[in-house]
Amino acid sequence: MNDPDAPPSPEIEARKAWMSLLAKAPEARLEALWSAAGLAPEHAWLRPPEAGAVMLRGRAGAVGAPFNLGEMTATRCALRLACGTVGHAMVQGRGKEKARIAALCDALMRTEAAPTVRAAILDPLAQEAEARAAARAARAAATRVEFFTMVRGENA
Amino acid sequence: MYVAVKGGERAIDNAHAWLAEARRGDVSVPELSVPQIREQMTLAVNRVMAEGSLHDPDLAALAIKQARGDLIEAIFLIRAYRTTLPRFGASEPLDTGAMAVSRRVSATFKDAPGGQVLGPTFDYTHRLIDFSLAAEAQANPQAETAEAPPPPRTPHIAEFLDAEGLLQPEREDAGAGAPPDLTRQPLAFPATRALRLQALARADEGFTLSLAYSTQRGYGRNHPFVGELRVGVVAVEAEIPELGFAVEIGDIELTECETVNQFAGSKTEPPQFTRGYGLTLGHCERKAISMALVDRAMRWQELGEDFAGAPAQDEEFVLSHCDNIQATGFLEHIKLPHYVDFQAELELIRTLRREAAAGPDPVKEAAE
């Protein structure tokens, strides 16, 4: 367990980044990358995949007091590899297989298999997420209004 | 008196079998898939998520299919489903300043920092039926693009007014604890603003729209400007209890509206603009704007305004009637069998009529 008041270590920051990438990944894409990677580590469930909800909070006026906005579906699980490394997942949606793969990747990222997982799964997911964000930003930018003022009555 | 209470089972089964056939419609027309609804009926899906109070586009699309497109019925299905889900916890408050915006407009500042971004909008369309959409197998439409790196943050318009002191500030109430949750505790009055915002976020769009419209027409007037309306994707961050740190567990689309309204001031404070706030799951901008107007109307007490008796100012009226599932449950139940209740009424009216026909009762009259 980590002390919540301690400054986040680089290890924790890195783990947060890959857990987040896995949690947000499209389920079909994660499954495809996982099976292409050919990884099938033995594991035991500490908590089998379970679908549930997370209450989303907003803030009054965007910056004020929090309020409950509504929930989103999420699936969580925890498992242990044969070597003893534990993996956790809390992922968006109701995909139990997505949660299982995410927890396996989380565990493997702290074993010798880390470079394989990064190259075969995390790097493609990161590139695709970046491409989706860039595509949205490019479409938004094309709808940005460029005001110009017509100057009237001046004989410049 | 004997009232038959059995015997409907076969009729009910057969009614549901016909419902399934009617749902499918003409079988010579291809069946709708859930991904088709999710991708092509997006705004219906968003409304079902917002009022069903559960973000899950696949589930909302499935509910719409099951409900034959009756959105309130679909919302009912989502509300029922969400009660079966264990609650893993609450997210960190969503940071809408870090939203990846696809749409962001301000009606108050032409040159708003961050720009006016129209996004995929019906605004400025001519509202003429487009018969070309009736043709099948069209070329896939392609949006225009422009080179622009995604901005890390899009500042809220309110920040600029706030910095000048022109706008009533929003502050986090230190030590207030977890916000109230109407899915766990029944509504109680007077309600806090946090509770009102939760109720409005899942309120019926039509009801909220009508109330908001009533404030514009003078019933609790507070003259709003849309300071800002933004639609885009925000990361959801939640703590993983076993690990003791928070992780971004998903990305969701949100619509946010901030209104700038007429002034409040006092003997000690110079006048300031006031604000209303709307936030919904998904792209629901009519709902988000309506929510902001009704939120502002219900703040009359806090802002030292008079209660004008307007429906939108009356939080008990608004919060008790804004939920379309509660409303439709109570409304639609009256079409279900009430044979016993009605028999009682029937007996009563027959007795009253018999008594009236018999003329005044001499004994009773004497007693009076």
Side-chain angles (χ1 to χ4, degrees):
Chain A
M1 285 293 135
N2 300 286
D3 174 4
D5 297 326
S9 67
E11 289 78 24
I12 289 181
E13 288 303 316
R15 191 169 180 196
K16 284 167 75 159
W18 76 59
M19 287 183 78
S20 159
L21 202 52
L22 293 160
K24 296 175 177 182
E27 184 170 10
R29 185 64 184 139
L30 181 59
E31 284 181 30
L33 289 170
W34 173 255
S35 56
L39 296 160
E42 275 184 41
H43 60 277
W45 290 117
L46 299 174
R47 189 209 301 270
E50 174 190 28
V54 172
M55 176 55 91
L56 304 166
R57 290 200 173 139
R59 287 185 182 279
V63 291
F67 68 95
N68 290 308
L69 172 67
E71 290 162 305
M72 67 175 257
T73 52
T75 304
R76 67 179 174 188
C77 68
L79 47 77
R80 183 168 38 224
L81 301 180
C83 64
T85 311
V86 171
H88 287 277
M90 170 109 83
V91 303
Q92 183 168 21
R94 288 164 294 123
K96 292 190 173 168
E97 184 60 7
K98 176 180 171 182
R100 185 183 77 95
I101 297 170
L104 283 169
C105 291
D106 178 48
L108 289 171
M109 279 304 290
R110 285 172 300 119
T111 67
E112 288 166 2
T116 313
V117 173
R118 183 166 294 284
I121 296 165
L122 298 180
D123 286 347
L125 287 179
Q127 282 157 16
E128 287 158 19
E130 212 165 288
R132 279 194 301 275
R136 180 173 45 235
R139 281 163 178 73
T143 68
R144 182 183 300 274
V145 180
E146 306 289 353
F147 287 107
F148 58 90
T149 308
M150 305 287 282
V151 180
R152 299 175 67 193
E154 300 269 333
N155 295 317
Chain B
M1 176 188 322
Y2 174 75
V3 179
V5 292
K6 288 197 169 204
E9 196 175 335
R10 186 185 51 83
I12 290 169
D13 287 345
N14 292 347
H16 292 169
W18 194 7
L19 170 67
E21 188 186 302
R23 174 187 296 122
R24 177 61 183 85
D26 182 349
V27 291
S28 68
V29 176
E31 186 181 347
L32 261 180
S33 73
V34 171
Q36 282 175 331
I37 298 171
R38 187 193 63 217
E39 296 301 316
Q40 297 174 45
M41 294 284 123
T42 331
L43 299 182
V45 168
N46 285 339
R47 182 168 175 190
V48 170
M49 294 197 299
E51 295 171 35
S53 206
L54 184 68
H55 188 281
D56 190 317
D58 290 293
L59 206 60
L62 176 58
I64 290 169
K65 178 172 178 171
Q66 184 179 337
R68 306 175 65 193
D70 179 339
L71 298 188
I72 290 185
E73 185 71 21
I75 291 160
F76 200 158
L77 295 169
I78 295 297
R79 289 277 186 92
Y81 178 83
R82 68 151 287 282
T83 63
T84 68
L85 296 172
R87 172 86 58 87
F88 293 161
S91 77
E92 303 292 322
L94 298 161
D95 180 6
T96 55
M99 178 185 281
V101 295
S102 49
R103 171 162 167 77
R104 192 273 198 147
V105 291
S106 170
T108 51
F109 292 107
K110 178 166 69 71
D111 299 312
Q116 305 266 2
V117 176
L118 300 182
T121 180
F122 293 123
D123 294 353
Y124 313 111
T125 63
H126 295 112
R127 269 71 182 215
L128 298 173
I129 289 277
D130 179 0
F131 289 97
S132 73
L133 290 172
E136 285 179 34
Q138 302 170 78
N140 289 335
Q142 192 76 47
E144 297 293 331
T145 58
E147 279 300 311
R153 290 189 75 82
T154 307
H156 283 100
I157 300 293
E159 288 173 27
F160 305 107
L161 290 170
D162 207 358
E164 251 188 276
L166 298 176
L167 185 66
Q168 155 261 323
E170 293 283 3
R171 289 198 189 88
E172 190 169 357
D173 189 5
D181 183 355
L182 61 78
T183 69
R184 296 297 168 96
Q185 295 97 26
L187 277 179
F189 301 101
T192 59
R193 188 170 178 217
L195 193 66
R196 296 195 303 245
L197 288 170
Q198 183 185 15
L200 288 176
R202 54 199 260 136
D204 183 72
E205 179 174 311
F207 182 83
T208 316
L209 169 66
S210 293
L211 279 179
Y213 179 45
S214 75
T215 69
Q216 290 184 288
R217 290 192 65 255
Y219 292 85
R221 182 180 171 76
N222 51 50
H223 199 87
F225 292 98
V226 171
E228 174 164 2
L229 177 70
R230 57 169 71 187
V231 183
V233 174
V234 173
V236 176
E237 203 178 4
E239 180 160 314
I240 313 288
E242 296 88 341
L243 300 179
F245 55 78
V247 171
E248 287 184 6
I249 60 162
D251 277 333
I252 58 167
E253 191 179 40
L254 294 175
T255 306
E256 181 183 56
C257 176
E258 289 194 271
T259 56
V260 177
N261 301 64
Q262 271 180 358
F263 328 112
S266 65
K267 290 195 179 73
T268 52
E269 295 276 335
Q272 279 185 319
F273 284 115
T274 58
R275 50 214 256 175
Y277 188 66
L279 185 67
T280 70
L281 299 178
H283 184 177
C284 302
E285 48 187 88
R286 185 184 304 116
K287 168 67 184 286
I289 301 168
S290 302
M291 176 175 169
L293 265 59
V294 179
D295 168 50
R296 174 60 185 81
M298 285 195 285
R299 300 182 69 195
W300 62 272
Q301 205 157 21
E302 169 196 352
L303 297 169
E305 294 172 341
D306 290 331
F307 178 68
Q313 288 181 307
D314 183 342
E315 64 172 23
E316 190 165 341
F317 177 81
V318 175
L319 301 196
S320 303
H321 301 106
C322 65
D323 189 290
N324 53 24
I325 300 311
Q326 277 176 8
T328 205
F330 199 57
L331 182 105
E332 292 199 56
H333 101 279
I334 63 173
K335 72 191 173 186
L336 302 175
H338 281 66
Y339 308 139
V340 176
D341 306 52
F342 189 67
Q343 280 294 339
E345 299 265 315
L346 207 54
E347 278 304 301
L348 180 62
I349 200 165
R350 281 185 177 136
T351 308
L352 291 173
R353 285 173 64 86
R354 225 173 9 246
E355 284 172 5
D361 180 343
V363 179
K364 197 176 170 201
E365 199 137 280
E368 282 167 4

